[in-house]
Amino acid sequence: MNRAGKTLLVLALVAVVGMAFRVSWNALRDIAKAIGADDTAATLYPFVVDGLMALALVAALVLTDVARKFALRVLAGYTLASLVLNYVHGLLPDLHAESIGWSRLADGDYTNWALVLLATSLPVGSIYFGSDLVAKVLHHRPTVDPNTPKSTQTDVNRSMPDQGEPLVEETAPGVAVDSSPIPVGESIAALPQLAVAAESTRPRRATGRVPAAARSSRPVRTDIELLAEARSLTESWPVEKLTGEGIRKALRTSPAKARVVREALKAERERDTAAAVSG
């Protein structure tokens, strides 16, 4: 069924419920007057019974599993109670008069007692069941069908920070990273290669075509470019602040390259300090 058909179905349901509420209005109002309610309370009484039925119906459409069964039981119970009260109203012509005083709902004592108990307990039940249904609807979390396939396109379009991974990982899968300390006195150009490509014997699983908007447009920076950028960013940093994590965040690079740059910066600062002291 398309969206227009569903809209018409909902409107038809609202119309039927509204007309049924109007038909049941007089019966429930007269029953309320018969058990001692004043004019205002008797006018509001139909909302207590039939209104909770409508609330339970909406809750049954939203909730699932055990909570949905509870909503259906509330709907069935209040529907049965409204049916009984409408039936009693039809059997007692005295309740149809304009001026209704305190009257009996049945000839038998026990039957009258049971009907009065039913009519007077419905408002209290509406408070309890209505509050419980609203709380269940507000705390309801839709469940995901395990048989529904997970969309790979959603995972592709998600950025790395959203997935809880490092911001930029500049080493490809299957790459060995050398994170040994840099000897003092060696330049960045003399450093060993940060990564050596390794052949992977396991075929990679196809994850779908990556859209152009999700591809990174920033080229991979060389070792010299990373060190030059780090010098500019950390020029005013004290030695204590030269940590691998701080440099990684500042350069937005991988942890392995951040450690290499950190050791190079520390070596340069030690060399500059030694030259200043000897001079």
Side-chain angles (χ1 to χ4, degrees):
M1 182 181 294
N2 55 19
R3 186 172 183 178
K6 292 180 179 180
T7 303
L8 291 176
L9 183 63
V10 172
L11 292 177
L13 174 62
V14 172
V16 171
V17 171
M19 290 184 290
F21 181 79
R22 180 62 186 89
V23 172
S24 179
W25 177 280
N26 290 339
L28 296 179
R29 182 193 60 184
D30 294 344
I31 290 291
K33 288 184 178 180
I35 61 175
D38 57 16
D39 292 338
T40 302
T43 303
L44 297 176
Y45 189 80
F47 290 101
V48 172
V49 182
D50 293 344
L52 185 65
M53 291 167 54
L55 176 62
L57 175 60
V58 174
L61 296 176
V62 175
L63 300 174
T64 57
D65 300 333
V66 179
R68 183 173 182 270
K69 293 180 180 179
F70 173 76
L72 291 175
R73 291 191 186 100
V74 174
L75 176 61
Y78 268 72
T79 300
L80 181 60
S82 179
L83 174 62
V84 171
L85 296 181
N86 277 270
Y87 177 71
V88 171
H89 181 265
L91 292 178
L92 296 177
D94 293 341
L95 298 180
H96 305 171
E98 291 294 335
S99 178
I100 302 175
W102 193 288
S103 61
R104 293 174 60 89
L105 299 180
D107 293 336
D109 291 337
Y110 292 104
T111 305
N112 181 74
W113 176 83
L115 291 174
V116 172
L117 177 62
L118 173 64
T120 54
S121 62
L122 290 179
V124 180
S126 294
I127 298 174
Y128 174 78
F129 292 118
S131 303
D132 196 12
L133 288 174
V134 171
K136 283 181 168 59
V137 170
L138 294 179
H139 290 85
H140 175 66
R141 294 293 181 272
T143 57
V144 179
D145 188 359
N147 297 325
T148 303
K150 185 178 180 180
S151 174
T152 57
Q153 189 67 25
T154 303
D155 294 338
V156 169
N157 291 334
R158 289 177 60 193
S159 62
M160 298 296 284
D162 293 338
Q163 299 181 17
E165 299 178 1
L167 294 175
V168 177
E169 184 61 38
E170 299 182 3
T171 57
V175 172
V177 179
D178 183 10
S179 59
S180 57
I182 304 174
V184 178
E186 292 189 7
S187 63
I188 191 67
L191 292 177
Q193 293 295 327
L194 292 178
V196 178
E199 294 184 359
S200 176
T201 58
R202 185 180 63 181
R204 298 185 63 186
R205 180 175 61 86
T207 58
R209 185 177 180 183
V210 180
R215 298 173 185 170
S216 175
S217 60
R218 188 176 65 181
V220 178
R221 292 165 290 182
T222 63
D223 302 338
I224 298 178
E225 290 174 343
L226 282 174
L227 183 58
E229 186 177 349
R231 289 195 190 102
S232 176
L233 292 175
T234 63
E235 184 178 0
S236 61
W237 291 14
V239 178
E240 295 78 10
K241 193 177 179 181
L242 291 177
T243 61
E245 182 65 17
I247 295 175
R248 184 190 70 81
K249 292 181 179 179
L251 296 179
R252 299 175 67 86
T253 185
S254 64
K257 289 191 176 184
R259 289 193 295 268
V260 173
V261 173
R262 177 197 62 191
E263 297 300 330
L265 291 176
K266 286 186 176 181
E268 289 182 356
R269 293 202 178 187
E270 289 178 359
R271 185 170 59 251
D272 295 341
T273 302
V277 172
S278 62

